[in-house]
Amino acid sequence: MRESEAALARDNLLRIIKLSVKAGFPLLPESAEVVLTDLRKRVKAAGDAKWEPDRDLKIIPRNELLKWWNDRLIEITDGATVVSGGKLTDKMIEAKVSQPVIRLAAEMRRHYAAEARAPRYMEPDAVETMQWRVKSKIASLQSKHDAGEFDDLNDAQFHDLCLSSVDGLSNSLVSGVDETAFLKGCMYDIADRCLLRFKREKS
């Protein structure tokens, strides 16, 4: 029975991911789990409601559910909700990065999420190698930032340094394909998961 429930849970999670990809807002597994949990709560609330006097709560109209679904996808993929422990948009606002750049960052993170799960132009091993190269570079930059090596830079300038460093990684690849957008999307995903912050925490 437990195995059947686990299989059903995995199937539901996969359906959520596939639907999010089809909608143009691909979710990572942990984000899909958040949406699935929210959906279960809505269904349970409707199931618990009584026909009298809560008929309107008992029925979830299709157009209302679709609006909730679309709004939730945008909210999560733009980093407007805490997913995986962090919020990309808030981190960039704190660093005083301009709004156009923030919106582009959210867009690059969305495309990265889709490509990382189902790469069209790269082998899975190549994807993983690039992810680890970005993580390694970001770990070095964050450590130096925390140690005060970039005290001459403000938070927005440190964000720019991170982007330039990722550009450098792309230039060092030998695939012959410009992977800059993928690498930057990876960097923003790392920031969204609280593994990178642009604003230095003063000791």
Side-chain angles (χ1 to χ4, degrees), residues 76-113:
I76 289 180
T77 53
D78 277 348
T81 292
V82 177
V83 177
S84 302
K87 296 189 293 186
L88 175 61
T89 299
D90 286 352
K91 289 178 183 298
M92 297 183 75
I93 290 174
E94 288 176 357
K96 293 182 170 57
V97 177
S98 68
Q99 283 296 325
V101 174
I102 292 174
R103 289 193 291 271
L104 282 171
E107 189 73 13
M108 281 189 281
R109 177 177 173 265
R110 276 202 298 268
H111 284 287
Y112 159 79

Side-chain angles (χ1 to χ4, degrees), residues 181-193:
F182 180 87
L183 295 173
K184 287 178 179 176
C186 180
M187 183 195 82
Y188 287 127
D189 186 65
I190 290 171
D192 186 68
R193 292 185 289 118

Side-chain angles (χ1 to χ4, degrees), residues 101-151:
V101 174
I102 292 174
R103 289 193 291 271
L104 282 171
E107 189 73 13
M108 281 189 281
R109 177 177 173 265
R110 276 202 298 268
H111 284 287
Y112 159 79
E115 190 63 33
R117 278 196 301 273
R120 292 169 292 173
Y121 309 112
M122 295 175 284
E123 294 295 326
D125 288 348
V127 171
E128 186 175 1
T129 295
M130 284 191 285
Q131 289 171 327
W132 279 108
R133 291 185 69 177
V134 175
K135 290 175 183 177
S136 176
K137 174 59 69 174
I138 292 304
S140 296
L141 290 171
Q142 186 72 80
S143 178
K144 291 179 180 180
H145 194 213
D146 292 344
E149 289 194 30
F150 302 129
D151 278 356

Side-chain angles (χ1 to χ4, degrees), residues 24-90:
F25 295 92
L27 296 175
L28 294 170
E30 59 268 25
S31 302
E33 186 66 52
V34 171
V35 174
L36 186 57
T37 298
D38 289 349
L39 184 58
R40 286 180 183 134
K41 289 179 180 177
R42 290 178 66 89
V43 172
K44 185 178 186 305
D48 290 344
K50 306 298 183 183
W51 281 108
E52 296 293 341
D54 301 322
R55 178 181 173 82
D56 290 342
L57 298 178
K58 189 73 176 176
I59 300 173
I60 304 178
R62 183 175 184 275
N63 61 337
E64 179 184 314
L65 185 60
L66 286 175
K67 183 180 185 306
W68 171 86
W69 165 253
N70 290 326
D71 289 347
R72 199 72 175 96
L73 288 182
I74 294 172
E75 185 181 28
I76 289 180
T77 53
D78 277 348
T81 292
V82 177
V83 177
S84 302
K87 296 189 293 186
L88 175 61
T89 299
D90 286 352

